[in-house]
Amino acid sequence: YFLRHARSRNYVSESEVCKLESVPLDFGDYHPLKPITVTESKTKKMNRKGSTSSTSSSSSSSMMDPLSSVLDGTDPLSLFAAAADPVTTAPPTDGARRKRDKDESLAVGSDFEPWSSKRGEILARYTTTEKLSINLYMGSEKGKATTAGSAVSEKVRTRLEELDDLEEGSQKELLNLTQQDYMNRIEELNQSLKDAWSSDQKVKALKIVIQCSKLLSDTTVIQFYPSKFVLITDILDTFGKLVYERILSMCVDNRVSLPDNFSPESVNDTAKETCLNWFFKIASIRELIPRFYVEAAILKCNKFLSKTGISECLPRLTSMIRGIGDPLVAVYARAYLCRVGMEVAPQLKESLNKNFFDFLLTFKQIHGDTVQNQLVVQCVEIPLYLTLYSPAIDWILQCIAYHAPDVLLTEMMERCKKLGNNALLLNSVMSAFRAEFIAARSMDFIGMIKECDESGFPKHLLFRSLGLNLALADPPENDRLQILNEAWKVITKLKNPQDYINCAEVWVEYTCRHFTKREVNTVLADVIKHMTPDRAFEDAYPQLQSIIQKVITYIYDFALLFSVEKFLPFLDMFQKESVRVEVCKCIMESFIKHQQEPTKDPVILNALLHICKTMHDSVNALTLEDEKRTLAALINGFIKMVSFGRDFEQQLSFYVEARSMFCNLEPVLVQLIHSVNQLAMETRRVMKGNHSRKTAAFVRACVAFCFITIPSLSSIFTRLNLYLHSGQVALANQCLSQADAFFKAAVSLVPEVPKMISVDGKMRPSDAFLLEFLCNFFSTLLVVPDHPEQGVLFLVRGLLNVIQDYTWEDNSDDKVRIYTNVLHLLSAMTQEAYIYHVDKVDSNDSLYGGDSKFLAEINKLSETVVSQILDHLKTLGKEETLRRQSQLALYFFNTILAHGDLRNNRLNQLSVNLWNLAQKHGFADTKTMVKTLEYIKRRSKQPEMSHFTDLSLRLPLQSRT
């Protein structure tokens, strides 16, 4: 009955009426989307009334806050708050101290690599399996009975006795410790130091530091010494910080702390006396090494005593190191002094230079008899021994070379050149000096490397250090080939695969930067030759991965890359699946990033198909969903970049092959279906909708591809949407029977939709997704012509039967909302001309031409649907469902208002009843009802809508009360 009186629609005129009014816009006018330039006027600071002028400018993209710019950051409220806030004048908190420490450490600039970044590498590299020993401080009972009334001299004597007690044997030696046990004991000492300090046992804290410093004179397990140095100096750093902060806290006067750049004159006498007391205590330490290290740890405290304190102490401490006989212990002492010096006085470079030149004078000690005898006892080879010096010398040279002029660096290089057996120094110079300085003198360094004695520091390590510099800076163009030849002569002769690959990894980057694919191919061939015997590549996967990464970084033209003969054989060395997949992912990421144009190059396609197949085959039942998504995204990126131009058959063949190769990744199959649908539509565009026999057969093949592939997907809504999408493509290409098959498949799939589905890992009700899909489906069914053998509206009837039989949730009204949308569809089907059509496809408006039998069938369907809606509204008459009844009544009312012919009295009365039902129990939204009534009154002023005036008078607005 509803559709017997459906409103006749003139969609063209309605569209014209609904269009927005167009207003001509002068380009000179202000436009809100134009960038804004704010110009600051000249005003006094703090003047809140300062004017600002704002102008539009399409060329400027800078956005300034006019208020902030006028105030220049000096907001008066903030100033008053700062003046009144006692927190800002309180003694420095831990946060303030940390900030000040950070600011001071940044005095050397962010381009200076800090010690903290080297610490972890040293601890990881210098390890031992030998047993270690340590002396633990056991504490002392002396001096603990002192009362508050004791004389000052008694207190001083007690403290001196405690210091003597340490050196007279109040310690316990722990033997046969593993490396981990040793590190744990050191950490215990560090904690003991903090505990002693916090409990105001300053002498005990000093004893612990002295004891730890003594450990640095022990070289019985020499290969562990660099790591021991790192662990012990951590304790020294802690001690130095505690002493400095203790003295600084004593400088607080009237709740105002010292500024960061304070002068000694602003330090009170108590703080100075305490500071001097610490230096006197340290001066009384008998042994040189602990006295040196502990004084160096509190070097910063000289700032409390005099402006020149640090500059006077640094040369003295440098000279003290000359008294240390063991060259390894001495060089690490120099490194610690440089480290402290760079933290507290980076401007005092003269002392650092003197420190290094002192080291050069004693360099020959390294090859002396004393050291050689020690190495024989510990069974340590000279090359291994020399590598122990590297962290210390590297650090010393880094401190010296920081912002140093080329003249100084050249002088230091010449001094190193004059020394014999200088490979160790040469390596440190190349590690510490600026890469540009090294690269510009590459041939000089190669000459120095050649003169080095092979029996000492290995030459391949020197070439590796040189290669690291050349990866950061370019050598002179004329020398580049000679440099590569000289380096590779040495590298290719290396017998040890690990030594070889460590060098080759570095020089591959140099080769890729400066040479053609021929040289790159030669280098890759050499790597394969060295790493294949005895499956040496299995121990070098990180380096081999690094080589691949460098090659694809510099050769991102994949036609050129795959023409490198040895590239694919190089990939074959990655035989561990997890590593091979990671390498394949890197290659595909590079391809997607750099490939600008679609490709059909058979070399590229075959190689990348092989790589994508490798990634796909790694997927198994244990593979995480995130990993599957990542792999699928990479493969999809490749598929999108493949294009054979107008050779559509070849393109379809590629998609068929891809489907067989990537069947385990559902997102890839979805992409292939979309790509094939796109291919069918591209064929239609080329043929301008007029298919020949050949193209018609081709698009049917595309449609068949999709119809076969969709059932293999697991996600039910993915299948539903793809059936709909593919059916639309088939319809656009005049494949009517195939389109019917897609739509039938979609209808038959609806009953299988589960009540709950997984969305982003969470279970959600499926009703909203099903409602959205069905609304889209109804929009398509409007233009689908009836099958001559299936009866009128066979697809719509089938879908309604499925909806009727579907088990909906008891508290859900989605079924009625779907029925209401069906009325929209049926109303559109009664029009003489449909609102839209598919080109070259006759819809039911053309096929039936408004035939009375056709309209009668639609009326029967509509009566059934309306009765279902009204029956459902009746079932919602219970108290707990009245709100839902109100909402659905208004929803149905709006449907009648939009699609019904309200000149019919019965339909008019039905709409009035629905309006009253929506308001009956006070659950209707008053604003919505008011706006709806206003809309009806506006519509009544339009031509042929005068009957809306009478309707508006019959629609009362009821108050909630």
Side-chain angles (χ1 to χ4, degrees), residues 655-694:
Y655 291 144
V656 171
E657 183 182 1
R659 180 179 62 183
S660 66
M661 296 177 73
F662 309 127
C663 55
N664 289 335
L665 288 172
E666 191 161 303
V668 179
L669 295 180
V670 172
Q671 176 60 46
L672 287 171
I673 293 168
H674 284 306
S675 297
V676 170
N677 279 330
Q678 188 176 353
L679 185 61
M681 294 305 292
E682 180 67 14
T683 307
R684 177 181 181 275
R685 186 188 66 78
V686 170
M687 299 302 294
K688 298 179 180 177
N690 298 310
H691 283 299
S692 64
R693 181 178 297 179
K694 183 177 180 180

Side-chain angles (χ1 to χ4, degrees), residues 147 292 321 324 509 517 522 879:
T147 61
F292 163 80
I321 300 174
I324 300 176
E509 183 167 3
K517 72 170 189 177
T522 303
E879 185 176 350

Side-chain angles (χ1 to χ4, degrees), residues 856-901:
E857 289 293 332
I858 295 178
N859 284 332
K860 285 181 184 178
L861 279 178
S862 66
E863 287 173 6
T864 305
V865 172
V866 169
S867 64
Q868 291 278 351
I869 295 173
L870 296 177
D871 288 345
H872 186 78
L873 284 172
K874 289 177 184 176
T875 63
L876 298 178
K878 300 175 184 176
E879 185 176 350
E880 63 271 14
T881 56
L882 290 176
R883 181 181 295 276
R884 288 165 53 195
Q885 185 188 57
S886 171
Q887 292 171 346
L888 283 179
L890 184 60
Y891 188 58
F892 191 25
F893 171 83
N894 287 328
T895 295
I896 295 176
L897 194 65
H899 299 281
D901 185 357

Side-chain angles (χ1 to χ4, degrees), residues 23-43:
V23 179
L25 177 66
D26 184 0
F27 286 109
D29 291 348
Y30 166 76
H31 192 281
L33 297 182
K34 285 183 178 179
I36 298 172
T37 302
V38 179
T39 307
E40 180 185 345
S41 63
K42 299 295 182 182
T43 58

